[in-house]
Amino acid sequence: SNGGIRAPMGPEPPYWLVYFGTDDIEAAIAKVSELGGSRLAGPIPVGPGQIAIVQDPQGATFALYAGEFDE
């Protein structure tokens, strides 16, 4: 399993952001768009990979991650 946690930043309330792994972040972003969703940010380099924040057509926000995974 993979995951991370960080200290609160500013006045924003705590929240969870689910990440889905992919081998090709650009293709995954394109699929989100094809299915009616939208890109909110990224791809953004993070440590050993990249993330993108996207939203589905109903407004649910999640992240896509391409990079190294723990075994």
Side-chain angles (χ1 to χ4, degrees):
S1 66
N2 287 276
I5 191 169
R6 65 173 172 79
M9 298 178 70
E12 71 183 30
Y15 64 90
W16 290 93
L17 182 60
V18 175
Y19 288 71
F20 294 99
T22 179
D23 291 329
D24 184 340
I25 200 160
E26 291 293 346
I29 293 168
K31 189 67 170 181
V32 168
S33 295
E34 176 187 325
L35 295 173
S38 56
R39 176 194 324 220
L40 301 179
I44 303 163
V46 290
Q50 295 180 305
I51 64 166
I53 312 300
V54 297
Q55 198 169 55
D56 74 14
Q58 290 74 40
T61 301
F62 59 96
L64 301 168
Y65 172 79
E68 294 181 26
F69 291 94
D70 291 341
E71 293 296 320

